């Protein structure tokens, strides 16, 4: 899990909690039926909107995108150039023992394909297809999460309206108005919180991740094909550096000389 | 009807009903004139916006899209490979008796065209046209439902404004304010509910379904043309697997060996 | 005027009127200054936004689009095939006496061009240009009506704010608050009504109509060119059926046999 | 200044003024600090958003677009055909004395280029470049005005919030609530007014003007090139009529015969 | 820092401060927990949405875009033509001593590449890549700032809801309502202020800057390549003037004659 996600989550939840706790009885903010209505309603609308398997797959996609540690492009290039050096010196089969080092599943698979002597076109085909389906999954995930970020405040408002109608319909004792309205407003608060601390940032993260992973995977394909064709490590390095910005290029320190 | 739709509908309606029932007299939430105004107004604006036949056709499209059980791509591929085996072994006419097995109307029609010895280009042409008109229907359906999802909260607000004006214009007895306002807010509640539990999710479902059906129908066309051209079942399988993700490919178990 | 427009208008206006009349004095809802402010303000902003001639032409476009009875594609195809039969049997000049039957001005003009022996390329050119300018008019109409649908609630809100400021600035007698606020809310109500019962559905209808008319006009051009080139009525029928969905194709009954 | 702009401005300002004046003390609506906050805040945010020179150039663009009387396409075509007749009869240099008649600066410049014997490709190049930069200016103007139309209600709301906080923080005398809230709401009113009577319609007008001017300028380029190449006035007329709709074509009366 | 940014910032902050100070105790507007919640919440959601390094890089991008003084295109063209004159008279190596004059880092780098005798294609390649990554940075910056401009009012509303619930849940003394509500509204005010005075204008400025810098950098590339190829200063001038509008062209005064 990258540090921004942790910091963001802790800061977001923490700040709201502190604000809630400050100067008063925080128990009024804990209202299970309201939470159930907002989360449940959001889930219900999402299930009406998307097939069950798509909604379930989103959980997985998000989990992967957040927990899975992204390898930085510079580390990736260094590793691929390292592989190229090994393959050049000891032959491509020598990568067998290094494939395990690849912290990245896609890289591992790519290396394995190269070791197995798969034809370059086929390697490219297999890996490109996998990228395309990865993109599909992420796009689906974004649209599901964005839908949740839209339904969540809507059910917050629905809950508040239900609460207001109940309260207004039975005002005998005006002194109860305050408490009734407080409870009614809670669902709107929950709806806004879930949307802005959970669903919308997650959708955004998925979009950012997609482009990041896309870049990494393209670097890997280019690198593996270059290694397989027997390119000199320096050539591999040149080819891969074309994918990253000049600033990142300078950060790459190949363990040479 | 797929399970997500049932779960979503039961959960959505159930949660709102429970929230309404909790701790009080639920009858105040049942207000026929408000429901009539919101649904009727939404319908009226939709009829002003779209021709009658388009609005009616949407009901049908939605019904089909929701009730009609989608054949999963893996089942479809298995069935088509099965057909290829039969056609290979006993001749294409032998599919006559199997066409009935096709739970899918489009598949049945495709098989029939192949059996009738229709020229491949014509088969492709006929089926592609049908897909294009299916897409048109779904796109129309989405736009009608999205319009309904926009008009519905608008008429909810209109109803609430009418209620507020009535109530405010005749406050003699301040004690009646609460009840009057409760009734006024009901239409906004209905408008939000219809939009978020009915119209918008249905529009979303239709969009998701379109791409699903499109894939299925393209698999069928490719499969039928491949079978008609006398391809080996293994070749048919290869061709069709190119349409689905690696994960799904592994789930396909052809009854061979 | 198509039936959906009538039903929609009657239902929309009727429902709102009934809701207003129910249980109380409806006169409070009739406030001429509020109506003048909302409609006048909307008109003023629209005139600032569009040239006078464009705004005036919209009225015309909408009137035409709504009152003008659309010929269904199936009727159109039947009529064109009928013309083809006549032209084939008695020569193209014989259409002179039938041109009047064409309930459609565009069809009449097309037939006249064919009778006059205009060159096919020129016919196509003239008619295609007319279609392009029809599309321009409709697109302009849509954008004007959508602008009106946006300005209308804005001026509703402006009116309500003016009303609220007036009322709040002179509260001596709290018992007058209710009535003052009721009047203030009326403009918001009017703004929402005009937008959702008038401007936005009209803009939507215009968009739907555009594609409908486009199809009809393309069928006519294809049909007239086919007739002029002396095609057999069956060939004309085949060519024109390609424009419509399989469902509609079956509904076409040519008076043959 | 075209008539729609005058009518729109008078009607918009007039209606709001009358509504304000009706039945009460209108002075409460005149609140200089509120106006300064809304207009000043909008300006401040716009200056943060755009470079100073762009914001200043918008004033100019809007002034030109509104004050500058657009020549109708039919008048333009008549004038160009007239020029063609003169050029044909007395030689292109004879246009020297007529160039002054051109109420349009762009037309004048075009005629001058033709008289100077500039090569056709160069004329086309110079004039097309000028059109492209005109489009850039207008697009910039639209985006600045749309931004203003977005910031204006935002600062209206900011002002109202400041007013509400002030008022609420010092309620000792509940009788002052009304007046305080009235003042607070004024900024929201101003924000809505400036956006809907000024900024948004001006942005819209600019967009409409762009396409109008584009057409005029294209007609001029085509016309001048045709005249320079020595085309017969009838040929010039034919070429230019292709730019306008059939309806406008019939309105063009060339002073011939 | 360009003057519009300073004026905008001073005016925006100044106006709001004055409005706050006017006629009352301004201390009520200073509420640290509210500021922390809005800014912190916005930051938290942004960190959930974007990787840490992207969020940090935005600060840098904004700082550069705002502080860095943009060279006007006319100054740039004058300087490049000056360089061309020097290179023509004294040889390209003579630019060595002038490279320092280039107030622009990109220009300095371009001149250095030319002096070093880098091949033209390589110069173009290096500089174009740098432009592409500059665009990427700016686009990322815009999307981060726009996200902040969306999260900021959302957390403003969340804070207000928390404040309202607290206040309503503990009304014993109705006289405290005013003060409680004032504090609750503060977060909405902060949210709106940060969005409209900070985040959204900064996002807009970045977008405007991108196109401005793009133009400058393209002028530089064209100019350096033209100088390197030994073009006459007048030719260089002609080539570069094609990038700017006729109005700016006239403002360029080359120190010749």
């Amino acid at each position: 899990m990258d540090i921004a996600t942790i910091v963001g989550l802790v800061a977001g939840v923490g700040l709201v909690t502190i604000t809630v706790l400050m100067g008063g009885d925080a128990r009024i903010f804990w209202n299970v039926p309201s939470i159930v209505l907002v989360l449940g309603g959001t889930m219900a609308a999402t299930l009406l909107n998307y097939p069950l398997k798509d909604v379930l797959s989103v959980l997985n996609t998000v989990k992967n995108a957040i927990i899975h540690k992204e390898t930085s492009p510079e580390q990736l290039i260094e590793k691929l150039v390292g592989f190229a050096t090994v393959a050049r010196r000891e032959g491509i089969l020598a990568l067998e023992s290094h494939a395990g080092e690849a912290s990245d599943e896609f890289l591992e698979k790519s290396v394995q394909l190269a070791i197995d002597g798969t034809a370059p076109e086929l390697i490219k085909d297999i890996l490109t297809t996998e990228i395309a389906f990865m993109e599909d999954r992420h796009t689906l995930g974004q649209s599901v999460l964005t839908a949740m970020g839209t339904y969540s405040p809507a059910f917050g408002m629905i809950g508040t309206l239900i609460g207001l109608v109940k309260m207004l319909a039975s005002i005998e004792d005006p002194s109860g108005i305050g408490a009734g309205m407080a409870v009614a407003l809670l669902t709107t608060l929950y709806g806004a919180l879930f949307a802005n601390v959970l669903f919308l940032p997650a959708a955004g993260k998925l979009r950012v991740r997609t482009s990041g992973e896309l870049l990494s995977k393209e670097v890997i394909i280019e690198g593996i094909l270059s290694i397989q064709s027997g390119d000199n490590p320096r050539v591999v390095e040149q080819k891969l550096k074309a994918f990253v910005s000049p600033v990142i290029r300078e950060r790459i320190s190949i363990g040479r000389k």
Side-chain angles (χ1 to χ4, degrees), chain A:
Chain A
M1 201 183 329
D2 69 332
I3 197 153
T5 310
I6 300 173
V7 172
L9 211 58
V10 170
V13 174
L15 275 166
V16 171
T17 312
I18 290 170
T19 313
V20 159
L21 287 175
M22 255 172 16
D25 185 355
R27 276 171 303 173
I28 46 164
F29 285 93
W30 181 254
N31 187 304
V32 177
S34 295
I35 297 177
V36 170
L37 178 67
V38 171
L39 276 191
T42 303
M43 213 57 202
T46 308
L47 282 173
L48 283 166
N49 202 331
Y50 292 93
L52 188 57
K53 70 174 194 318
D54 288 358
V55 177
L56 292 177
S57 84
V58 165
L59 288 177
N60 213 36
T61 309
V62 170
K63 204 194 64 192
N64 280 347
I66 287 174
I67 288 184
H68 179 67
K69 177 124 185 40
E70 205 181 353
T71 319
S72 75
E74 48 265 45
Q75 290 175 315
L76 202 58
I77 293 179
E78 286 168 20
K79 183 159 289 175
L80 281 162
V81 174
F83 283 0
T85 315
V86 170
R88 184 83 170 178
R89 218 185 302 123
E90 312 167 34
I92 203 162
L93 292 181
L95 288 177
E96 187 87 60
S97 54
H98 293 272
E101 290 172 24
S103 55
D104 185 292
E105 204 184 328
F106 188 82
L107 176 54
E108 212 178 312
K109 183 169 183 181
S110 310
V111 170
Q112 201 55 55
L113 282 168
I115 294 172
D116 294 350
T118 318
E121 302 80 43
L122 193 53
I123 293 186
K124 191 162 191 180
D125 205 49
I126 290 171
L127 298 179
T128 309
T129 306
E130 209 152 292
I131 291 183
F133 283 109
M134 182 272 282
E135 272 194 279
D136 279 0
R137 272 199 314 277
H138 280 209
T139 308
L140 178 69
Q142 276 172 53
S143 79
V144 172
L145 286 166
T146 307
M148 289 174 125
T150 315
Y151 287 129
S152 165
F155 277 92
M157 199 189 86
I158 287 173
T160 296
L161 285 168
I162 294 179
L164 282 179
V165 169
K166 272 190 191 167
M167 185 201 78
L168 289 166
S170 58
I171 322 182
E172 274 109 50
D173 174 18
S175 73
I177 294 185
M181 208 139 138
V183 174
L185 284 179
L186 273 183
T187 42
T188 293
L189 174 58
Y190 289 138
L193 274 176
F194 289 130
N196 288 292
V197 180
L198 223 64
F199 301 130
L200 297 179
K205 189 75 139 211
L206 219 50
R207 192 175 51 242
V208 172
R209 270 292 157 102
T210 309
S211 59
E213 278 200 35
L214 213 64
L215 180 69
S216 292
K217 286 183 170 30
E218 278 167 357
V219 166
I220 291 175
I221 296 184
E222 182 77 20
I224 287 297
L225 291 178
S226 181
I227 291 172
Q228 207 198 24
S229 73
D231 278 345
N232 184 306
R234 296 207 63 141
V235 174
V236 174
E237 193 184 333
Q238 286 310 323
K239 281 186 179 172
L240 300 187
K241 275 186 169 170
F243 284 90
V244 296
S245 77
V247 180
I248 292 182
R249 272 179 221 162
E250 278 162 32
R251 260 191 256 141
I252 299 173
S253 61
I254 306 295
R256 224 180 278 127
K257 100 199 89 158

